Amino acid sequence: MGRLLCAALFLFASVSAAKAMEIIVDDSDGPPAYTETGHWTTTNNTGAGWNGTLYRYTSSSRVPSTATWRPELPEEGAWEVFAIFRRGADRTSRAPYTVHHLDGSTVVEVDQTGAFSGDLEVASLGAYRFATGTGGHVVLSNAGGSGVYIADAMMWVPDTPPEVTEVRWWPLYPKADDFVTVSASVIDNGQVDSVRLHWSVEPGGGTGEADALPSADGEYTAALPPQPHGSTVTFHVEAVDTLGSAARSDDFSYTVGETGDWKVIINEVMASNSFTIAEPDFGGFDDWVELYNFGPDTADLSGLGFSDRLNNPTKWHFPAGTIIPPNEYLLVWCNGNDFVGQAIHTSFSLSAAGEDAVLYDPETDTILDAISWTDLPTDVSLARIPNLTGEFVETVEPTPGKPNLFAERAE
């Protein structure tokens, strides 16, 4: 929940110019911005507080005490609140901050323990809606856990809207009878309230929208209905958080019935991998096949067959949404896991003693590319030399995800 002050300042410098910058209330500001009840003491650690000042402290053993920070906010809206304090070994691990906002009040407990040296801690108390003026405030009391309580500075920063990224759709080149699934990654510093897919269709000027539902951690999906052949569909994804802050993706479009112009080849194969490269999901040194897309369009591999047997080219199929941008590589891990994570894993593994690698289009009953071998040593790959265009040769300098190089084993 916390962050170092230097990192926080970088974040605040990035806040949109359309909103006010951060509002900081320090204990040294005094009434009415900062007030106390009970018993508080000023530290003798010179310069240990916010902006080189001092801070105030109390403890759980003293009389009931509170510290209140009351900013003058220039506009109504959503603001994220941060508590700034100096950690220490004697601090409480349960400092209760009560944030008073437009929708009520929220108690957030903060662990103030830690090393005294280093940067000040900047701990987020969450984002809330506040009215213009001095109605919103934060109260720290010493009614939490045992230990010392630090009252230093409080900061209000205009809430950042959700981030909508990694918009994808499949099939990438839909036909007239295809539903199109759209997915997007949505993250927010608070909670996402809604994610919606909006689209328009030309010719005709039709429009539509649909709720996007969470399908994985931070990922949302929605479906576009089938459209007539030749229609151009333009769409975007919009996200709104629980504080009303909204953001939308760029516009994307496709034309129904258009097929992409691309060519994918098998460019390198390793059937026995002991130390060359580890796959990113489980850390295993597994077999792999490198594919390359010449373009000029993005290749959609959804539903294509991939196999280790020429006589069974549909042994495994690429999952929906698998793409290769033009002039880029894709590593396919052949380890029997049949899983999609950071990488793609097939349901089969390769045999170094002799096997095939086959890329197959079941729609046209066409083998797009294939390579066979009889005996491939460990950590030696079969690679096209020259890269992308040459015949397959063994190389002891594998280059997964990069242009191929040729090197012979030293005698």
Side-chain angles (χ1 to χ4, degrees), residues 268-287:
E268 191 172 6
V269 176
M270 178 169 284
S272 179
N273 170 20
S274 68
F275 61 78
T276 298
I277 183 174
E279 53 83 11
D281 291 300
F282 307 104
F285 288 85
D286 300 325
D287 311 337

Side-chain angles (χ1 to χ4, degrees), residues 131-153:
T132 304
T134 59
H137 57 284
V138 176
V139 179
L140 169 65
S141 80
N142 65 342
S146 61
V148 174
Y149 289 71
I150 304 301
D152 194 352

Side-chain angles (χ1 to χ4, degrees), residues 233-278:
V233 179
T234 302
F235 65 91
H236 69 269
V237 177
E238 181 181 50
V240 182
D241 65 21
T242 53
L243 300 175
S245 297
R248 53 163 287 173
S249 70
D250 292 335
D251 285 332
F252 299 89
S253 64
Y254 59 84
T255 299
V256 179
E258 281 192 354
T259 57
D261 182 10
W262 50 268
K263 177 185 177 182
V264 172
I265 63 167
I266 297 172
N267 194 52
E268 191 172 6
V269 176
M270 178 169 284
S272 179
N273 170 20
S274 68
F275 61 78
T276 298
I277 183 174

Side-chain angles (χ1 to χ4, degrees), residues 128-391:
Y128 310 90
R129 294 192 312 119
F130 291 91
T132 304
T134 59
H137 57 284
V138 176
V139 179
L140 169 65
S141 80
N142 65 342
S146 61
V148 174
Y149 289 71
I150 304 301
D152 194 352
M154 199 68 60
M155 182 154 44
W156 279 256
V157 179
D159 180 50
T160 55
E163 292 184 35
V164 183
T165 60
E166 299 179 24
V167 177
R168 300 184 300 131
W169 67 96
W170 62 90
L172 194 62
Y173 306 105
K175 304 180 184 63
D177 58 347
D178 286 337
F179 281 89
V180 175
T181 300
V182 177
S183 73
S185 174
V186 180
I187 58 174
D188 188 68
N189 61 342
Q191 289 185 316
V192 175
D193 182 59
S194 65
V195 179
R196 293 187 67 80
L197 172 66
H198 300 262
W199 68 85
S200 62
V201 183
E202 295 293 345
T207 61
E209 59 182 59
D211 287 326
L213 302 177
S215 59
D217 186 22
E219 185 174 286
Y220 291 76
T221 60
L224 273 160
Q227 301 295 336
H229 182 86
S231 300
T232 296
V233 179
T234 302
F235 65 91
H236 69 269
V237 177
E238 181 181 50
V240 182
D241 65 21
T242 53
L243 300 175
S245 297
R248 53 163 287 173
S249 70
D250 292 335
D251 285 332
F252 299 89
S253 64
Y254 59 84
T255 299
V256 179
E258 281 192 354
T259 57
D261 182 10
W262 50 268
K263 177 185 177 182
V264 172
I265 63 167
I266 297 172
N267 194 52
E268 191 172 6
V269 176
M270 178 169 284
S272 179
N273 170 20
S274 68
F275 61 78
T276 298
I277 183 174
E279 53 83 11
D281 291 300
F282 307 104
F285 288 85
D286 300 325
D287 311 337
W288 50 267
V289 175
E290 176 192 87
L291 305 179
Y292 180 84
N293 176 26
F294 283 100
D297 295 330
T298 297
D300 185 1
L301 273 57
S302 304
L304 292 187
F306 195 59
S307 177
D308 58 351
R309 292 285 188 272
L310 275 168
N311 60 4
N312 183 18
T314 58
K315 186 173 185 177
W316 180 83
H317 293 86
F318 281 96
T322 304
I323 63 171
I324 310 178
N327 307 311
E328 290 195 15
Y329 300 90
L330 174 68
L331 278 188
V332 181
W333 294 92
C334 302
N335 51 18
N337 287 328
D338 197 12
F339 171 78
V340 178
Q342 298 181 61
I344 295 174
H345 307 256
T346 69
S347 63
F348 60 87
S349 57
L350 303 177
S351 171
E355 210 157 41
D356 313 303
V358 186
L359 181 63
Y360 174 75
D361 184 354
E363 190 168 302
T364 60
D365 190 24
T366 303
I367 292 179
L368 302 178
D369 202 5
I371 174 65
S372 302
W373 60 91
T374 55
D375 187 12
L376 195 56
T378 298
D379 293 302
V380 171
S381 71
L382 271 178
R384 291 184 182 271
I385 304 293
N387 184 50
L388 305 179
T389 60
E391 297 296 322

